[in-house]
């Protein structure tokens, strides 16, 4: 009887295990998932910042006016990363730039590929391979009218088992001719981690 | 006899643990959907056709979509929804706006990210979405419990 009971319990436990699926698995996740895994800067934070900045910029009334009938040329400055983390901030500005280009409101110049551009134009001009009529000449690129600058900061507080991290991403659009900031906005994100009673 | 009692107690504890794992392990991520479609009335004025769909009856008791509206910023469509919590506790949700063009094709299909939303007890809050480009004429707001 005793043994029979034990067997039943073991069977019930195994059944429950297989139902709740505790085996190791690997699968594709949702790239747009907003599930935070730690208080560190994550993919969802990047997406939230990019979306919020672009939404704010393309709906700001003076920007709507500015982009009616023309697509101003913008250059993106490196993000000033004042957080304690190593973050690929270029990835943040890349997302913002891609969204702004896709909105059809702005055009961008990319200074990070200048070396390759110069190489290519030199080859076209000097190698003798390219028809002179179609070869691209130096000094014909369009100068940026605006500069997109950004600051990224973090305030971290840790008390007992609780870690509270506050992120602030500030972005501005500067008119290069007049020096005036035509648009600016910030996105705040707060992440709180509470250590559970049983470790983890 | 004593041994048997311990085994039974342990068994019950394990079973309770397993059940609670099972309950929290795979919560449904279906939720509430609200959509808005741009149309024009006889006078040529812009109107918004609205629809709210509850795919998760559990969520229906937690959240209420009070209002859905839309406006244009230049040629870009914007949407706003007012949500009210029906619960007395603070509840976490996630939401996203999907955008469709005049032919009903999704813009940036699958590209949207879920955004966290925290509703305090009985609180009403508005959430806003901006279309990715001027093609957008229709939106679908999805709200779900955190995944």
């Amino acid at each position: 009887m005793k043994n029979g009971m034990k067997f039943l319990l073991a069977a019930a436990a195994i059944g429950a295990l297989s139902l709740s699926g505790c085996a190791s698995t690997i699968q594709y996740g949702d790239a747009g998932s907003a599930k935070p895994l730690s208080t560190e800067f994550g993919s969802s934070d990047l997406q939230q910042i990019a979306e919020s900045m672009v939404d704010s910029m393309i709906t700001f009334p003076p920007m709507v006016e500015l982009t009616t009938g023309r697509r101003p040329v913008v250059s993106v400055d490196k993000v000033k990363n004042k957080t304690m983390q190593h973050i690929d901030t270029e990835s943040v500005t890349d997302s913002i730039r891609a969204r702004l280009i896709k909105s059809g409101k702005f055009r961008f110049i990319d200074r990070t590929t200048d070396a390759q551009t110069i190489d290519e134009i030199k080859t076209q001009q000097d190698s003798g391979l390219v028809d002179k009529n179609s070869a691209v000449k130096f000094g014909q690129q369009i100068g940026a009218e605006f500069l997109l600058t950004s600051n990224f900061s973090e305030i971290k507080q840790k008390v007992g088992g609780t870690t509270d991290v506050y992120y602030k991403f500030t972005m501005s659009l500067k008119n290069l001719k007049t020096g005036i900031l035509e648009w600016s906005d910030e996105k705040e994100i707060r992440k709180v981690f509470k250590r559970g009673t049983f470790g983890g | 006899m004593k041994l048997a009692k311990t085994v039974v107690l342990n068994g019950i504890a394990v079973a309770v643990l397993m059940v609670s794992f099972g309950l929290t392990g795979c919560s449904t991520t279906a939720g509430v959907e609200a959509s808005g479609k741009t149309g024009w009335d006889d006078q040529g004025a812009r109107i918004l056709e609205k629809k709210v769909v509850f795919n998760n009856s559990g969520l229906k008791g937690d959240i209420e979509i009070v209002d859905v509206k839309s406006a244009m910023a230049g040629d870009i469509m914007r949407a706003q929804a007012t949500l009210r919590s029906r619960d007395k506790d603070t509840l976490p949700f996630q939401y996203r706006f999907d955008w469709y063009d005049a032919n009903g094709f999704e813009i940036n299909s699958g590209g949207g990210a879920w955004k966290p939303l925290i509703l305090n007890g009985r609180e009403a809050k508005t959430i806003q979405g901006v279309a990715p480009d001027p093609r957008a004429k229709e939106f679908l707001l999805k709200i779900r419990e955190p995944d």
Side-chain angles (χ1 to χ4, degrees):
Chain A
M1 187 61 193
K2 244 188 218 173
N3 278 343
M5 196 113 172
K6 268 188 198 169
F7 177 76
L8 259 176
L9 278 170
I14 288 166
L17 256 178
S18 62
L19 276 176
S20 59
C22 288
S24 302
T25 56
I26 181 154
Q27 61 197 22
Y28 283 106
D30 178 6
S33 168
K35 189 178 189 175
L37 293 174
S38 75
T39 55
E40 275 171 29
F41 187 73
S43 63
S44 174
D45 305 326
L46 188 157
Q47 289 161 337
Q48 285 176 51
I49 287 172
E51 208 172 314
S52 151
M53 288 300 130
V54 173
D55 287 0
S56 163
M57 196 166 150
I58 62 176
T59 55
F60 185 52
M63 283 292 125
V64 172
E65 203 178 308
L66 184 82
T67 54
T68 306
R70 73 186 194 104
R71 296 160 64 207
V73 179
V74 182
S75 179
V76 185
D77 190 22
K78 280 200 184 86
V79 179
K80 289 191 192 77
N81 182 2
K82 295 170 183 165
T83 70
M84 302 300 282
Q85 299 176 43
H86 175 77
I87 295 166
D88 180 3
T89 52
E90 203 177 332
S91 169
V92 183
T93 47
D94 279 355
S95 285
I96 293 172
R97 189 177 63 188
R99 279 169 182 273
L100 283 173
I101 291 175
K102 278 163 80 181
S103 77
K105 301 284 165 194
F106 295 92
R107 290 178 296 168
F108 284 80
I109 53 164
D110 180 12
R111 288 272 167 254
T112 63
T113 50
D114 275 358
Q116 291 93 313
T117 311
I118 290 168
D119 273 358
E120 176 60 27
I121 299 179
K122 262 188 188 154
T123 311
Q124 293 194 12
Q125 290 292 333
D126 306 336
S127 68
L129 288 167
V130 182
D131 177 1
K132 283 285 172 208
N133 295 323
S134 67
V136 176
K137 293 181 187 72
F138 278 104
Q140 292 191 320
Q141 289 194 0
I142 294 171
E145 194 181 343
F146 298 98
L147 184 67
L148 201 57
T149 58
S150 27
N151 255 317
F152 194 25
S153 61
E154 149 193 82
I155 299 171
K156 190 173 186 174
Q157 287 179 301
K158 207 171 172 181
V159 181
T162 305
T163 309
D164 182 309
V165 188
Y166 165 84
Y167 293 100
K168 191 176 76 172
F169 190 90
T170 312
M171 193 164 229
S172 308
L173 189 73
K174 185 176 185 174
N175 187 322
L176 284 168
K177 191 175 164 192
T178 61
I180 286 171
L181 296 185
E182 304 279 1
W183 164 87
S184 187
D185 202 356
E186 55 186 31
K187 169 73 181 169
E188 300 168 295
I189 293 174
R190 164 159 259 136
K191 291 172 104 175
V192 183
F193 171 73
K194 284 195 175 83
R195 189 170 291 279
T197 321
F198 302 106
Chain B
M1 189 60 199
K2 202 180 171 189
L3 183 76
K5 204 174 173 186
T6 328
V7 168
V8 169
L9 278 178
N10 281 344
I12 289 172
V14 166
V16 167
L17 256 173
M18 288 305 150
V19 168
S20 58
F21 264 123
L23 281 177
T24 56
C26 42
S27 55
T28 171
T29 47
V32 190
E33 284 176 3
S35 63
K37 190 177 181 179
T38 301
W40 285 270
D41 66 10
D42 299 337
Q43 275 81 45
R46 188 172 168 276
I47 50 168
L48 188 74
E49 299 158 26
K50 302 169 205 174
K51 200 165 70 185
V52 176
V53 183
F54 282 89
N55 295 322
N56 179 345
S57 52
L59 215 54
K60 204 170 182 172
D62 292 338
I63 200 166
E64 181 190 352
I65 298 182
V66 184
D67 188 24
V68 175
K69 57 177 69 164
S70 158
M72 302 299 281
D75 51 3
I76 299 273
M77 187 176 175
R78 305 175 69 184
Q80 173 178 288
T82 309
L83 314 171
R84 180 176 288 131
S85 169
R86 286 180 167 166
D87 205 286
K88 63 182 192 315
D89 298 320
T90 301
L91 290 175
F93 296 101
Q94 292 181 353
Y95 72 95
R96 66 186 268 183
F97 284 91
D98 289 342
W99 298 90
Y100 300 84
D101 68 12
N103 299 316
F105 278 76
E106 189 177 352
I107 299 167
N108 301 340
S109 180
W114 291 92
K115 283 195 260 184
L117 165 74
I118 290 161
L119 279 184
N120 294 316
R122 313 242 186 256
E123 183 192 27
K125 220 177 214 176
T126 55
I127 49 175
Q128 292 188 346
V130 175
D133 65 47
R135 285 175 298 167
K137 293 285 175 280
E138 194 180 337
F139 68 87
L140 179 67
L141 164 67
K142 294 177 182 170
I143 302 162
R144 68 175 189 185
E145 291 167 306
D147 57 345

